[in-house]
Amino acid sequence: MMDHVSYIYDNFKRPVNSLRLQVNAICNYNCMFCHMEGTDRNLSYMTPDEIERVVRVAASFGVSRIKITGGEPLLRHDIIDIIKRIKRHVDDISMTTNGVMLHKLAYELKDAGLKRINISMHALNDNDYLKITGNTRNFRPDVIDGIKSAHLAGLEPVKVNFVVLKGINDDKINDMMDFCLENDAVLQLIEYEAPRNMENSYEYIKYHVDLRNINDDLMKKSIEYKKNTLHNRPVYSIPWKDGIVRVEVVMPMHNSDFCMHCTRLRVTADGKFKTCLLRDNDYFDIKSFDDDYLRDLYIKAVKNRIPYWR
Ligand code: SAM
């Protein structure tokens, strides 16, 4: 683990201290809103060795947090090896998963070095869940088992990702707060993001909910309000039934504050630095290079970061 290293700053004074590491682009779901992180499915993925190299280089520039994502990261048969290798360089490793296979893997993931977990669950009733995930087989009970297993294994905090969709689940936020209270999870309400310049698309206009009103309402109900230290996102502690539920709100759209606090560089499954989720023209090939060359590319990629919303 590296001590006393200084971050690389982009030209907007934003340090990069974390990587969002996509480990594959395949998924056992076909979520109606999925932006696929700008990758196609016919990729040759980075090997565990190549992933370790990127993490090692990023860690040498002070990166101390890795978020593993996909596709569905738990579909990678070598995911445990990948986490063990990342752990040699970085302590704070988290993952976003649809949770379908988590009940089988939670303990192994924890032992390998995973610290925290986000589990996507965008509906509490089976019909909506199937509709949103684009599936015919209902894995929702497995996901709930996964949430329980994550706690038992000590992956903390457990966050439940909930993309708010107009006319589908936007009236279910209170139910989700009940669920998160019962399951000791943080509810993460996520604004539907337009995939790359698709803000005028039929789907986006139909399903997008501006979360500002919901955010204001939560703020009024909260007894405590903090900014998430990683992303500067609001996190509310809300008295709910017989307890307190924590709700985090992710509002990326048209939000210059969101972009100004972005400290993340993205790595695609096929081995590219990507400077922004919403940009699709800003990639740096990083596969199969040695550490020195990668260090140069890392600096170039960071210097190329431009806030999407300004
Ligand atoms: N397969 C995993 C899962 O379902 O969590 C990880 C990948 S998924 C791309 C990561 C997160 O991005 C999920 O919580 C998902 O709901 C969210 N997401 C995907 N597309 C989105 C969009 N257009 N707007 C907002 N959130 C989105």
Side-chain angles (χ1 to χ4, degrees):
M1 237 60 64
M2 295 272 176
D3 282 330
H4 309 300
V5 279
S6 43
Y7 304 128
I8 306 291
Y9 284 73
D10 65 23
N11 296 329
F12 298 83
K13 300 192 171 75
R14 300 178 302 172
V16 167
N17 58 24
S18 72
L19 289 188
R20 187 171 175 103
L21 181 69
Q22 190 196 31
V23 291
N24 71 9
I26 52 160
C27 193
N28 41 358
Y29 277 178
N30 189 18
C31 294
M32 53 189 282
F33 48 73
C34 184
H35 43 46
M36 283 302 299
E37 304 262 335
T39 52
D40 75 55
R41 289 167 195 255
N42 306 311
L43 304 170
S44 128
Y45 300 131
M46 281 197 292
T47 61
D49 197 44
E50 287 165 335
I51 290 174
E52 183 177 356
R53 192 180 319 151
V54 175
V55 171
R56 182 168 64 230
V57 165
S60 75
F61 289 115
V63 163
S64 59
R65 296 180 181 118
I66 306 285
K67 165 76 86 186
I68 300 173
T69 184
E72 172 47 44
L74 295 184
L75 288 182
R76 255 194 95 143
H77 64 88
D78 50 5
I79 191 68
I80 299 297
D81 183 28
I82 291 172
I83 293 171
K84 283 183 182 163
R85 284 161 175 270
I86 295 173
K87 178 74 181 167
R88 292 176 188 155
H89 311 281
V90 169
D91 260 336
D92 189 348
I93 310 173
S94 63
M95 176 184 283
T96 304
T97 169
N98 60 30
V100 173
M101 291 158 71
L102 188 58
H103 61 294
K104 296 182 185 148
L105 289 169
Y107 283 92
E108 257 189 286
L109 291 165
K110 173 70 183 177
D111 286 349
L114 191 71
K115 189 169 173 191
R116 311 179 273 122
I117 196 137
N118 287 51
I119 301 162
S120 299
M121 199 173 68
H122 313 287
L124 284 172
N125 74 67
D126 293 340
N127 280 347
D128 290 346
Y129 188 76
L130 289 172
K131 179 174 179 180
I132 293 169
T133 57
N135 249 7
T136 47
R137 189 162 159 210
N138 185 12
F139 291 106
R140 209 176 59 82
D142 301 77
V143 178
I144 291 175
D145 279 354
I147 292 172
K148 295 183 192 312
S149 309
H151 278 306
L152 290 173
L155 294 167
E156 296 293 343
V158 172
K159 293 189 181 179
V160 173
N161 283 14
F162 184 85
V163 177
V164 183
L165 300 164
K166 196 190 319 174
I168 297 196
N169 65 9
D170 56 338
D171 59 343
K172 299 293 190 306
I173 292 174
N174 287 355
D175 296 347
M176 283 307 293
M177 287 168 67
D178 289 347
F179 176 85
C180 286
L181 183 67
E182 278 160 30
N183 289 279
D184 193 17
V186 178
L187 174 60
Q188 187 156 273
L189 298 177
I190 305 177
E191 185 171 341
Y192 176 27
E193 298 156 356
R196 306 177 293 287
N197 305 322
M198 296 287 281
E199 269 179 83
N200 295 320
S201 71
Y202 173 77
E203 277 79 18
Y204 186 71
I205 291 165
K206 186 166 176 198
Y207 297 122
H208 175 254
V209 180
D210 184 334
L211 292 192
R212 275 177 296 189
N213 287 342
I214 292 172
N215 182 58
D216 291 349
D217 191 44
L218 290 169
M219 193 185 286
K220 280 185 205 136
K221 288 182 181 146
S222 66
I223 49 163
E224 194 183 32
Y225 160 62
K226 279 190 187 148
K227 290 269 185 173
N228 168 328
T229 48
L230 300 189
H231 308 289
N232 199 47
R233 295 169 182 159
V235 188
Y236 302 105
S237 297
I238 306 203
W240 197 251
K241 305 280 168 74
D242 52 356
I244 305 277
V245 67
R246 273 180 303 152
V247 184
E248 188 165 335
V249 187
V250 185
M251 293 182 290
M253 294 304 288
H254 300 278
N255 186 348
S256 54
D257 196 48
F258 182 89
C259 290
M260 267 328 285
H261 289 94
C262 173
T263 53
R264 220 171 224 184
L265 190 64
R266 310 179 91 86
V267 179
T268 67
D270 56 337
K272 295 184 179 83
F273 286 134
K274 180 172 174 2
T275 62
C276 169
L277 169 64
L278 295 169
R279 282 180 214 285
D280 210 15
N281 55 359
D282 210 11
Y283 293 105
F284 294 78
D285 262 303
I286 55 174
K287 231 173 155 220
S288 324
F289 291 124
D290 63 19
D291 284 30
D292 283 343
Y293 197 74
L294 257 186
R295 287 170 69 83
D296 288 349
L297 283 174
Y298 178 89
I299 295 169
K300 273 196 190 118
V302 172
K303 294 291 179 195
N304 237 43
R305 279 166 31 98
I306 300 174
Y308 190 83
W309 306 111
R310 286 199 262 172

